[in-house]
Amino acid sequence: MGMLEKIDQQWLKSFHCVYENNSFKRAAEFLCLPTSNVSRHIALLEEQLDVRLFDRTTRRIASTKAGDHLYLRTQPLLDKLNDALEEVTQHSREVMGQLNVLMPDSPELAQAVVSFCALHPSISLCCDTSISPKEDFVDGFDVILSFHRGKLEDNNWIAKEIKRWPSAVVASPKLLQTTSKPFQITDLKHVPCINSFTALNGTPWIFINATGELLTQRVQSAFKVNSGQIAKAGALAGLGFAILPVELCRDEIKTGALEVIELEYQPEDLVLYAFYASRKHIAKKVPVFIEHLLHQANLDGQK
């Protein structure tokens, strides 16, 4: 009897999950199993292989050399096996199950979600809205949509870019009559600015130079909002300079209600990302939903 017959695939799956998460507890949450089960799987695997895979201290766990070796050698194999199983399920065309989505409350996204559900009657949708979801709140969602400018924080979700909007610093003529016009990004420290989206978490404004490097600039703000629409209304009323997607204020720029302020650097694009859990046995509904969003975003771009 070979070694393979003695080892349960679930033990390996648990091992991979603990290894990737560096934690029995997080692995158990990901696998939807009690922590005790995951610990038992690892113990059984260690017993069968007659080798320690993790050193456990009270504070943390660390993989042993044998643990590293087992992970690196079995990872591509499990991936291949998973891909083979996935390919077979692709033949069942039905997209089904509950899809839990967390996303900003925007008319375009609402339209995309509604058209997805109309196309896939076997999906039951559960949609929650939030502009900047809190880290500890995101578990339990299949897909999270959110706006970002600049670098994404590291987490173990996969980020897929859905759409980007070139942006501009804008101000109303009314504001420019009473406030000196900024010429460099450092001038923004001395004029009233409107903070929106990601800037709510105290993030500075983000610009990009000719070589693609990101530059951050802290600004002073007495008007902080988490909506592009409210930021635009504030800019029109002369409450401050704002970074806005050009598409959002094209008409106002045309009529002169808002003026584009040219600085030495361009603002970084605003990007809508779809985040989903790293690719381990992912239900078909998730990639199909993301494809749909991309398709809708491109249709919008052609209008």
Side-chain angles (χ1 to χ4, degrees):
M1 185 165 142
M3 186 52 97
L4 196 54
E5 287 83 32
K6 298 181 193 163
I7 287 176
D8 186 329
Q9 199 194 324
Q10 183 59 53
W11 305 347
L12 272 177
K13 202 172 153 194
S14 293
F15 162 73
H16 276 251
C17 215
V18 171
Y19 188 95
E20 285 162 6
N21 285 289
N22 246 328
S23 149
F24 281 87
K25 187 171 166 295
R26 280 204 299 272
E29 282 167 10
F30 186 87
L31 295 164
C32 302
L33 292 170
T35 312
S36 55
N37 288 28
V38 175
S39 296
R40 197 176 74 245
H41 294 160
I42 305 299
L44 289 164
L45 188 56
E46 287 180 326
E47 194 182 316
Q48 276 301 342
L49 295 171
D50 193 23
V51 66
R52 284 190 74 81
L53 299 170
F54 295 104
D55 287 323
R56 302 160 183 77
T57 63
T58 44
R59 294 307 299 267
R60 48 186 228 103
I61 63 163
S63 54
T64 60
K65 269 213 166 65
D68 292 340
H69 187 77
L70 180 65
Y71 179 79
L72 292 170
R73 291 301 301 268
T74 54
Q75 173 63 29
L77 299 172
L78 275 189
D79 268 357
K80 277 209 177 73
L81 184 58
N82 192 32
D83 288 346
L85 298 170
E86 285 289 315
E87 277 164 30
V88 176
T89 62
Q90 294 309 320
H91 296 298
S92 78
R93 292 279 12 121
E94 189 79 295
V95 174
M96 57 204 304
Q98 180 160 317
L99 182 68
N100 298 322
V101 181
L102 180 64
M103 67 179 210
D105 192 353
S106 97
E108 297 78 22
L109 287 177
Q111 202 36 63
V113 167
V114 168
S115 58
F116 178 75
C117 291
L119 275 174
H120 301 286
S122 302
I123 283 283
S124 70
L125 177 81
C126 184
C127 183
D128 204 329
T129 57
S130 154
I131 291 278
S132 40
K134 302 282 172 277
E135 259 310 305
D136 50 356
F137 176 57
V138 298
D139 285 345
F141 288 100
D142 298 303
V143 180
I144 295 167
L145 300 172
S146 64
F147 292 109
H148 294 267
R149 244 184 246 283
K151 231 167 95 57
L152 292 175
E153 281 155 34
D154 281 342
N155 59 21
N156 47 8
W157 292 71
I158 291 172
K160 176 95 176 162
E161 182 180 309
I162 300 296
K163 189 172 181 184
R164 59 172 55 227
W165 291 268
S167 301
V169 176
V170 295
S172 71
K174 183 177 156 192
L175 178 71
L176 293 169
Q177 282 163 14
T178 56
T179 309
S180 56
K181 189 174 179 175
F183 289 97
Q184 295 184 305
I185 62 173
T186 46
D187 298 341
L188 293 168
K189 281 192 290 206
H190 313 293
V191 295
C193 291
I194 293 172
N195 262 351
S196 59
F197 288 124
T198 42
L200 268 193
N201 327 343
T203 319
W205 280 14
I206 298 173
F207 294 85
I208 189 163
N209 69 12
T211 60
E213 267 178 289
L214 295 181
L215 305 149
T216 56
Q217 178 60 54
R218 297 240 164 240
V219 300
Q220 56 155 318
S221 176
F223 191 76
K224 300 184 174 76
V225 296
N226 72 354
S227 135
Q229 295 296 344
I230 304 175
K232 174 174 143 180
L236 283 166
L239 294 180
F241 293 84
I243 291 190
L244 290 172
V246 177
E247 200 177 290
L248 183 65
C249 43
R250 192 162 275 137
D251 296 344
E252 289 78 5
I253 293 170
K254 224 185 239 149
T255 61
L258 287 175
E259 197 176 306
V260 174
I261 309 296
E262 294 293 349
L263 301 164
E264 83 272 45
Y265 303 116
Q266 286 294 319
E268 169 62 321
D269 296 344
L270 181 70
V271 183
L272 174 68
Y273 289 98
F275 295 93
Y276 58 100
S278 358
R279 202 193 112 284
K280 294 273 173 290
H281 308 289
I282 192 159
K284 188 169 163 193
K285 60 190 175 184
V286 173
V288 174
F289 177 61
I290 289 170
E291 272 310 304
H292 180 78
L293 290 173
L294 280 166
H295 183 65
Q296 295 297 104
N298 289 331
L299 288 180
D300 281 353
Q302 285 156 19
K303 276 203 284 239

